[in-house]
């Protein structure tokens, strides 16, 4: 326990450092208005992402904590929940978000940000929870660092090369980096822990919904203010507010 605690503490510290680097690079390049556009969509997508997977990752931890030999079935169930819920949430978000955001935000940027949060970042999170179920702190810390590391690299490359520092151009880099992190994370799970068995215990669907609701409430209370500031004060003010919040 002490070893895992120490590893996770270092891992979280590195994540915070990478988030700071990523934040500085993105905000300096985008400016207040463009950052306000990006963060408002990202915040809403983050709230929706809590329901992507329908709590299958938490169900996996609960199952494997009691019986490690049940991991293949628990992983298969988590992935099936993910394959069912993520597409529905993604389609719903990309259809509804344009009516909840500033009309100046490109629809393509909304799509890319939603994919990043609802699908790719959630795949990374599922992988982290797979290793958490086995109390493998180094793997958890590594995958947590991975997501922010590739985003920081993407921000550095984008900031150095872009001629259009708007939300759309950054959304492409943001989505690509999230895809890399999510895909690599799931491949690492299969390599080190084994693949899934496609069996579902549908009676767990209700518990998964409660886990999702808990996470959605936490993220919602944390991030709902950003789109509200956009609606009340505009993109530039939202960008400044979000930067100060960070």
């Amino acid at each position: 326990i002490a070893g895992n605690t120490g590893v996770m503490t270092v891992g979280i510290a590195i994540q915070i450092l990478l988030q700071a680097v990523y934040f500085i690079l993105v905000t300096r390049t985008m400016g207040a208005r463009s950052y306000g556009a990006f963060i408002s969509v990202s915040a809403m997508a983050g709230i929706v992402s809590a329901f992507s997977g329908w709590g299958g990752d938490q169900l996996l931890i609960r199952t494997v904590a009691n019986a490690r030999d049940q991991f293949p079935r628990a992983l298969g169930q988590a992935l099936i929940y993910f394959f069912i819920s993520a597409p529905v949430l993604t389609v719903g978000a990309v259809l509804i978000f344009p009516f909840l955001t500033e009309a100046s935000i490109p629809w393509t940027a909304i799509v890319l940000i939603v994919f990043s949060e609802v699908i790719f970042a959630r795949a990374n999170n599922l992988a982290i929870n797979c290793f958490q179920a086995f109390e493998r702190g180094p793997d958890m810390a590594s995958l947590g660092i991975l997501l922010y590391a590739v985003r920081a690299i993407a921000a550095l490359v984008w900031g150095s090369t872009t001629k259009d520092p708007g939300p759309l151009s950054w959304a492409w880099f943001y989505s690509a980096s999230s895809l890399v992190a999510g895909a690599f994370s799931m491949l690492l799970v299969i390599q080190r822990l084994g693949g899934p068995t496609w069996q579902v215990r549908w009676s767990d669907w209700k518990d998964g919904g409660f886990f999702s609701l808990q996470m959605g409430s936490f993220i919602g209370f944390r991030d709902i203010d950003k789109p509200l500031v956009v609606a009340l004060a505009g993109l530039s003010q939202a960008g400044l507010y979000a930067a100060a919040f960070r």
Side-chain angles (χ1 to χ4, degrees):
I1 294 176
N4 282 336
T5 301
V7 169
M8 289 304 300
T9 300
V10 173
I12 291 172
I14 295 173
Q15 288 180 48
I16 293 172
L17 177 62
L18 289 170
Q19 287 182 62
V21 172
Y22 152 80
F23 168 75
I24 292 170
L25 291 170
V26 171
T27 52
R28 283 174 63 90
T29 304
M30 295 186 85
R33 180 175 177 81
S34 292
Y35 184 67
F38 167 74
I39 201 66
S40 64
V41 178
S42 177
M44 292 191 295
I47 296 171
V48 173
S49 73
F51 298 90
S52 181
W54 204 250
D57 53 344
Q58 299 302 311
L59 294 172
L60 181 148
I61 293 173
R62 186 179 71 178
T63 299
V64 176
N66 293 317
R68 293 195 170 191
D69 62 329
Q70 290 296 306
F71 173 75
R73 186 200 64 78
L75 177 59
Q77 175 171 286
L79 288 173
I80 290 173
Y81 281 9
F82 181 74
F83 294 151
I84 292 173
S85 58
V88 174
L89 292 167
T90 299
V91 172
V94 300
L95 292 176
I96 295 172
F97 281 9
F99 299 99
L100 303 177
T101 59
E102 282 273 345
S104 60
I105 302 176
W107 184 75
T108 304
I110 294 174
V111 172
L112 291 170
I113 295 169
V114 169
F115 267 75
S116 299
E117 300 293 346
V118 178
I119 298 178
F120 305 146
R122 286 299 295 169
N124 172 261
N125 184 258
L126 172 58
I128 291 172
N129 284 325
C130 287
F131 287 113
Q132 182 179 349
F134 286 93
E135 299 181 2
R136 295 179 60 161
D139 290 317
M140 292 171 59
S142 298
L143 293 184
I145 292 170
L146 174 66
L147 178 63
Y148 296 105
V150 293
R151 285 180 175 176
I153 293 170
L156 179 61
V157 174
W158 172 72
S160 302
T161 60
T162 186
K163 296 180 180 179
D164 175 27
L168 178 57
S169 64
W170 166 237
W172 283 106
F173 281 83
Y174 186 75
S175 182
S177 60
S178 300
L179 171 60
V180 170
F184 180 84
S185 298
M186 291 308 303
L187 288 174
L188 192 66
V189 167
I190 293 173
Q191 180 188 36
R192 296 189 177 180
L193 300 179
T197 299
W198 303 106
Q199 298 177 358
V200 181
R201 185 180 298 161
W202 294 109
S203 58
D204 288 339
W205 186 261
K206 182 178 180 181
D207 288 346
F210 286 129
F211 282 127
S212 294
L213 184 61
Q214 179 188 34
M215 181 58 66
S217 299
F218 172 78
I219 298 175
F221 286 126
R222 185 190 67 190
D223 289 340
I224 194 63
D225 52 344
K226 283 81 173 180
L228 286 177
V229 173
V230 171
L232 295 173
L235 293 176
S236 296
Q237 288 75 13
L240 294 172
Y241 171 82
F245 179 85
R246 288 286 183 179

